[in-house]
Amino acid sequence: MNKITRIPTPEDAEALIREAGHRLTPQRSLLLDLLRSQKTFLDAEQLYALASQHEKDISLATVYRTLQLFVELGLVEARYLDPEHKREYYRIAGGLEYHYMTCRGCGAMIPVDPDIIEHVAQDWAKAHGLTLLTAHACYTGYCQECTKKRQEQAAREDLSG
Amino acid sequence: MNKITRIPTPEDAEALIREAGHRLTPQRSLLLDLLRSQKTFLDAEQLYALASQHEKDISLATVYRTLQLFVELGLVEARYLDPEHKREYYRIAGGLEYHYMTCRGCGAMIPVDPDIIEHVAQDWAKAHGLTLLTAHACYTGYCQECTKKRQEQAAREDLSG
DNA sequence: TTAACTGCAAAGCCTTTGCTCGTGA
DNA sequence: TCACGAGCAAAGGCTTTGCAGTTAA
């Protein structure tokens, strides 16, 4: 996964998609434009609704498939922001890194200082009149063993490909 | 939600259940015992499998309903530990606070120092030969406004009840 | 006694997938 | 031209719910 550190221009994105051997379809362009124009995270359904305003025959499956592709390419970031972690939210990659607290009452998303966690967070919450029910970090990646395997795999592909 | 700071004894738990106006059924006792005896997080299916060894007619729906009740009572903590956040994992409340990194390769859960996040985590990962793909904090609770509303609500209930 | 609880099966919700037709390069 | 991609509808995986019978208090 590429680590994109600024919001990609349409040209950046187009190049990235093409270099990875994918086609630039009208649907992909549209979804990319919509994502680039958004300030906040969207779920697939919301993006689908937006896209439908421009191209009425786009399908939800395409939205999901496109989001998946964009995430793989590092063009889009996916997060579980819902209070119950039911659905995933997406935004264009390269924005400021945010952590959110989602309000279980109204669903509001409150940005949280990235250095804050656990006991620190509890103090912070109290100081701001918030009620913090759960605070935990979510990490994903590859463990030592899998990291090694993947490095070996990459080395083999370099030799053979 | 009550904040439990040590693993509840069966008596603690029984009292908590009864005080909240719920019944202590054999299924609830069994699930509580099983959860208390576990060292790690379990998903509903795994708990169901364990429970089935003792009481063969217990249903998965009951496991889910019971877990939901226990979480509400603060007896159990729920977490999305799965690499893809597909399913929820549970353990008895009051244990040490842990954060995990889930390996996208093998699903292994690697405990993470709670103070670590983001850039700190990246350094930590590199030092340990891990590959960190995503790192973000997950907070849930009530925002300022909802906290206020809930406090007022609680006050009203104190007066009327 | 009776409201709370259980088991069962069906439904729900978000997301993915199989298939066939369409289309970018 | 033709492999990749889109639309549609159906399936999948985890979780919840409706219902009717059962049970704790």
Side-chain angles (χ1 to χ4, degrees), chain A:
Chain A
M1 192 159 82
N2 313 293
K3 180 66 182 177
I4 291 197
T5 50
R6 61 188 172 82
I7 293 176
T9 63
E11 292 72 33
D12 291 343
E14 182 170 338
L16 210 57
I17 292 170
R18 288 217 158 90
E19 278 161 23
H22 299 283
R23 293 179 183 166
L24 194 70
T25 64
Q27 290 91 336
R28 287 177 182 170
S29 295
L30 173 60
L31 292 174
L32 199 57
D33 276 358
L34 291 173
L35 284 163
R36 277 175 37 81
S37 72
Q38 291 305 119
K39 294 224 163 52
T40 60
F41 284 84
L42 292 177
D43 64 29
E45 203 91 32
Q46 293 170 321
L47 185 58
Y48 172 60
L50 274 180
S52 298
Q53 295 174 7
H54 294 81
E55 179 163 356
K56 64 178 189 303
D57 273 346
I58 197 169
S59 80
L60 187 55
T62 296
V63 173
Y64 274 111
R65 277 192 280 233
T66 304
L67 284 171
Q68 210 167 269
L69 174 67
F70 287 177
V71 169
E72 271 168 35
L73 294 175
L75 282 171
V76 159
E77 298 163 356
R79 289 272 183 80
Y80 286 89
L81 297 172
D82 188 73
E84 306 300 334
H85 283 224
K86 291 277 157 150
R87 55 172 61 189
E88 214 155 1
Y89 288 78
Y90 305 85
R91 74 165 182 188
I92 194 80
L96 291 176
E97 191 53 50
Y98 274 124
H99 304 124
Y100 291 98
M101 194 194 90
T102 47
C103 177
R104 289 203 183 172
C106 61
M109 280 157 43
I110 302 122
V112 173
D113 182 325
D115 290 333
I116 286 169
I117 193 162
E118 284 300 309
H119 46 287
V120 188
Q122 289 291 357
D123 292 345
W124 162 81
K126 201 172 289 175
H128 290 75
L130 311 168
T131 308
L132 195 59
L133 291 179
T134 69
H136 65 272
C138 307
Y139 305 92
T140 71
Y142 295 101
C143 67
Q144 216 162 6
E145 207 166 324
C146 292
T147 296
K148 227 172 112 187
K149 275 186 200 158
R150 286 167 55 83
Q151 285 167 351
E152 289 163 8
Q153 178 67 26
R156 271 198 301 280
E157 278 171 8
D158 267 2
L159 287 177
S160 67

Side-chain angles (χ1 to χ4, degrees), chain B residues 18-43:
Chain B
R18 288 218 157 87
E19 279 162 21
H22 300 283
R23 292 179 184 168
L24 194 70
T25 66
Q27 290 91 335
R28 287 176 182 171
S29 297
L30 172 59
L31 291 175
L32 200 58
D33 277 358
L34 291 173
L35 284 163
R36 277 175 37 82
S37 74
Q38 290 306 120
K39 293 223 162 55
T40 60
F41 284 85
L42 291 177
D43 64 28

Side-chain angles (χ1 to χ4, degrees), chain B residues 14-134:
Chain B
E14 182 171 338
L16 210 56
I17 291 169
R18 288 218 157 87
E19 279 162 21
H22 300 283
R23 292 179 184 168
L24 194 70
T25 66
Q27 290 91 335
R28 287 176 182 171
S29 297
L30 172 59
L31 291 175
L32 200 58
D33 277 358
L34 291 173
L35 284 163
R36 277 175 37 82
S37 74
Q38 290 306 120
K39 293 223 162 55
T40 60
F41 284 85
L42 291 177
D43 64 28
E45 204 90 32
Q46 293 170 321
L47 185 58
Y48 171 60
L50 274 180
S52 297
Q53 295 174 8
H54 294 82
E55 179 163 355
K56 64 178 190 305
D57 273 346
I58 197 168
S59 79
L60 187 54
T62 296
V63 172
Y64 275 110
R65 278 192 279 232
T66 304
L67 284 171
Q68 210 168 268
L69 174 67
F70 287 178
V71 169
E72 270 168 34
L73 295 175
L75 282 171
V76 161
E77 299 164 356
R79 289 271 182 82
Y80 285 88
L81 297 172
D82 188 73
E84 307 301 333
H85 284 223
K86 293 274 157 155
R87 57 172 63 188
E88 214 155 2
Y89 288 77
Y90 305 86
R91 73 164 183 190
I92 194 82
L96 290 176
E97 192 54 51
Y98 273 124
H99 304 123
Y100 291 98
M101 194 193 91
T102 48
C103 176
R104 288 203 183 170
C106 62
M109 281 158 41
I110 302 122
V112 173
D113 182 324
D115 290 334
I116 287 169
I117 193 162
E118 284 300 311
H119 45 289
V120 188
Q122 289 291 357
D123 292 345
W124 162 81
K126 202 171 291 176
H128 290 77
L130 311 170
T131 308
L132 196 59
L133 291 179
T134 69

